[in-house]
Amino acid sequence: MNGLTCGQALATAQVLGLERLDAQLLLLHALGKPDTDRAWLLAHDTDSLAAETWQHFHALSQRRASGEPLAYIIQSKEFFGLQLHVDARVLVPRPDTETLVEWALDRLALAGMPPTPQVLDLGTGSGAISLALKNTVPALVVTAVDASDQALTVARHNAARHGLLIQFLESNWFDKVGGHFHLIVSNPPYVAQGDPHLAALRHEPVRALTAGPDGLNDIRQIIAQAPDHLHPQGWLLLEHGYDQAVEVCSLLQLKGFVEVQSRADLAGVLRCTGGCWQGHIGAGAKTAG
């Protein structure tokens, strides 16, 4: 199929079932052009593609048609204004998670925070949350934790790419975390084992998605241990599933958190829940989880 034009190549991808935007981004990737050059494709709709470019684009299109995330194919995803490297070692950052970042920034902007707040990001993955916070508020001292050394490799790469200083730590949640923080944020696994939505996520690392029969095992562990790592008046903010806000609120209240509340994403779904720890440092160890 030598000699196909840009327009014809895009049409073949749509026949495979690809959305036009995905097809355009894949063609730009095959051409070695930035994903901001969609206007170039319109202006060069009748340009012929080199045979190797067409073959590369067709292979990419087949991967996308099989359900592989676009971000993994082009190894890039924008999050909170930052272009991040992503691949199958980490979850693809979702727009929903920007709700968590915005809430964290709101908390950090309130009176009472020190000049250099200490922030802990649990389950950092690609580093999206940590990097978004540090890029917006350079004075933050951010520690990013993940149990996967492969995920941390991706996160470190993204931090270096954007020149952002983050402390990275390989740890299963709080196991190797020392010190205390003014804010703890986390987008942990929260999908229930056996959830039918997992079929659509088969290309992403399952250990970063599922957390027990009801999807709340990791959230329970974080809530149980967070007070031992929070300064008094420190906040814990958690992302969770679309139907888990009530249960997460209950877990926080039972642990002794106050001002417990939830925030909705752009679709109006209660996507994040958090609360304030008013106890003394280390007091969480005396409270039942």
Side-chain angles (χ1 to χ4, degrees):
M1 299 183 71
N2 295 0
L4 260 66
T5 65
C6 288
Q8 290 170 330
L10 291 173
T12 65
Q14 291 181 274
V15 170
L16 289 174
L18 272 65
E19 296 182 3
R20 181 166 180 80
L21 176 58
D22 283 4
Q24 290 175 326
L25 293 175
L26 289 176
L27 183 53
L28 288 170
H29 185 69
L31 288 164
K33 295 184 174 295
D35 59 12
T36 53
D37 265 3
R38 289 171 60 202
W40 185 95
L41 291 177
L42 296 175
H44 295 264
D45 189 62
T46 58
D47 286 12
S48 295
L49 295 175
E52 58 271 20
T53 302
W54 153 249
Q55 291 164 2
H56 186 202
F57 170 68
H58 186 59
L60 298 178
S61 298
Q62 289 180 315
R63 289 171 61 185
R64 183 70 188 106
S66 74
E68 186 174 352
L70 176 69
Y72 286 171
I73 299 171
I74 65 175
Q75 297 199 332
S76 183
K77 180 69 175 180
E78 183 180 350
F79 182 84
F80 221 80
L82 294 172
Q83 206 68 36
L84 302 178
H85 173 88
V86 295
D87 56 38
R89 293 173 289 182
V90 296
L91 294 181
V92 177
R94 265 72 169 181
D96 293 343
T97 303
E98 295 193 357
T99 302
L100 183 65
V101 173
E102 290 166 353
W103 192 3
L105 291 171
D106 288 347
R107 296 304 324 169
L108 291 165
L110 293 176
M113 280 288 176
T116 55
Q118 303 275 339
V119 177
L120 177 66
D121 173 22
L122 292 171
T124 194
S126 65
I129 295 171
S130 290
L131 296 173
L133 293 174
K134 181 69 174 179
N135 187 58
T136 307
V137 186
L140 297 179
V141 178
V142 182
T143 301
V145 171
D146 206 288
S148 167
D149 62 337
Q150 295 187 8
L152 288 174
T153 297
V154 175
R156 288 189 178 100
H157 170 82
N158 283 323
R161 176 181 181 181
H162 291 286
L164 296 170
L165 183 60
I166 306 284
Q167 179 183 349
F168 293 102
L169 177 65
E170 185 178 343
S171 174
N172 182 32
W173 303 128
F174 292 103
D175 285 358
K176 298 180 182 178
V177 175
H180 297 85
F181 302 86
H182 301 96
L183 176 68
I184 298 175
V185 293
S186 182
N187 176 19
Y190 53 72
V191 180
Q193 292 170 351
D195 188 298
H197 294 95
L198 287 171
L201 303 171
R202 64 187 182 279
H203 293 277
E204 300 189 61
V206 68
R207 65 181 292 186
L209 289 166
T210 61
D214 63 357
L216 292 170
N217 282 3
D218 289 320
I219 287 177
R220 288 189 185 94
Q221 182 175 345
I222 292 169
I223 291 173
Q225 298 177 356
D228 292 330
H229 299 273
L230 281 168
H231 286 292
Q233 310 304 316
W235 277 74
L236 170 65
L237 304 180
L238 299 162
E239 181 174 333
H240 51 68
Y242 70 96
D243 59 350
Q244 295 173 332
V246 172
E247 182 64 24
V248 176
C249 281
S250 177
L251 290 168
L252 286 164
Q253 290 165 342
L254 286 171
K255 186 63 183 176
F257 283 85
V258 298
E259 299 184 54
V260 174
Q261 56 198 271
S262 298
R263 275 211 179 182
D265 59 21
L266 291 175
V269 176
L270 293 177
R271 179 61 58 185
C272 304
T273 297
C276 177
W277 181 252
Q278 290 190 317
H280 299 295
I281 288 178
K286 302 175 184 178
T287 308

